[in-house]
Amino acid sequence: AQTVTQSQPEMSVQEAETVTLSCTYDTSESDYYLFWYKQPPSRQMILVIRQEAYKQQNATENRFSVNFQKAAKSFSLKISDSQLGDAAMYFCAYRSATGANSKLTFGKGITLSVRP
Amino acid sequence: GAGVSQSPSNKVTEKGKDVELRCDPISGHTALYWYRQSLGQGLEFLIYFQGNSAPDKSGLPSDRFSAERTGGSVSTLTIQRTQQEDSAVYLCASSLVGGLAKNIQYFGAGTRLSVL
């Protein structure tokens, strides 16, 4: 079974600065997808960024980028120019690219606070 | 285009009562997922529906939990004889199957269930 580990329960960043959220995962599969979701107090999970395992290039979405290290099974999220609206819980998630069930396996999440 | 809609937003019930939670997926999304988010267990997969196929119920924690999806659209998650450990946020997600967007799950705001 696949597992996703987010070892930092909380992090804090100064507004306008950069922060990196860590995630590691364990799998025996070679083809899969990785995601970062943001969950604000409204509870609705919002997709921040995704990465296909077969792609070597790291995904980027505006101020958000990932450092995907397939051999190390590491998938960190970098938030540049942090904004107050970035404060939320962030979840790393894994999805197999094979099999009939495309369920997500989540890490425990990290609470990010942004200091003005 | 509305997003995934869940109702009720909050539900308070007494131990031993049955509850029904509703999920209305994004129109055209054939895949529907239920997850449970609790303090102790994080985010856990419960059940997955895809089209007319038999649902994957492998994540349901006990036989008190059941779910159905009528007409390939709206889904209801039923918890019978609720227990205090059922208190959690129940999240629903939907996705397309096939095409470039098939691996993106869109979430509702969840139902917060409190069992007294």
Side-chain angles (χ1 to χ4, degrees):
Chain A
Q2 294 80 26
T3 58
V4 178
T5 302
Q6 294 178 254
S7 56
Q8 308 153 303
E10 297 178 351
M11 285 197 75
S12 180
V13 63
Q14 190 75 37
E15 193 176 8
E17 297 197 340
T18 296
V19 64
T20 298
L21 310 183
S22 301
C23 173
T24 59
Y25 59 95
D26 190 23
T27 184
S28 59
E29 299 177 327
S30 59
D31 196 13
Y32 49 87
Y33 304 97
L34 296 166
F35 306 85
W36 278 97
Y37 277 90
K38 171 185 178 181
Q39 187 180 42
S42 66
R43 296 198 309 243
Q44 185 157 15
M45 303 277 277
I46 302 164
L47 178 67
V48 174
I49 199 165
R50 63 171 169 162
Q51 174 82 41
E52 290 89 346
Y54 64 86
K55 290 186 177 178
Q56 293 186 338
Q57 187 174 7
N58 289 323
T60 300
E61 288 286 343
N62 300 313
R63 298 183 295 107
F64 300 88
S65 62
V66 299
N67 183 1
F68 173 48
Q69 301 289 328
K70 191 172 184 179
K73 296 179 182 174
S74 171
F75 182 62
S76 61
L77 174 69
K78 186 171 82 171
I79 306 174
S80 303
D81 186 26
S82 297
Q83 301 176 359
L84 295 177
D86 294 334
M89 277 203 77
Y90 287 81
F91 291 91
C92 179
Y94 171 104
R95 175 191 172 263
S96 173
T98 59
N101 186 340
S102 53
K103 70 177 183 181
L104 293 170
T105 299
F106 289 91
K108 294 287 189 186
I110 179 171
T111 300
L112 177 67
S113 59
V114 181
R115 305 186 302 275
Chain B
V4 178
S5 178
Q6 291 189 246
S7 61
S9 179
N10 294 282
K11 175 72 176 178
V12 180
T13 190
E14 294 179 349
K15 178 181 173 182
K17 300 280 180 120
D18 297 351
V19 295
E20 285 189 350
L21 313 180
R22 177 188 168 105
C23 173
D24 202 338
I26 294 172
S27 178
H29 282 193
T30 57
L32 187 147
Y33 313 77
W34 284 97
Y35 296 88
R36 180 170 70 173
Q37 184 175 18
S38 57
L39 282 175
Q41 301 299 323
L43 271 155
E44 307 168 280
F45 163 77
L46 295 178
I47 188 169
Y48 163 62
F49 295 91
Q50 168 44 34
N52 295 321
S53 302
D56 182 333
K57 305 179 183 180
S58 60
L60 295 178
S62 77
D63 59 7
R64 296 186 296 104
F65 288 72
S66 63
E68 62 178 19
R69 188 178 185 191
T70 54
S73 182
V74 173
S75 177
T76 302
L77 177 69
T78 301
I79 309 173
Q80 296 179 309
R81 305 181 302 281
T82 52
Q83 303 295 312
Q84 288 183 333
E85 61 262 28
D86 299 334
S87 296
V89 174
Y90 291 82
L91 293 167
C92 176
S94 70
S95 73
L96 291 169
V97 177
L100 292 176
K102 66 178 179 178
N103 56 355
I104 299 176
Q105 295 183 22
Y106 296 87
F107 284 79
T111 294
R112 180 180 297 280
L113 175 65
S114 300
V115 182
L116 303 179

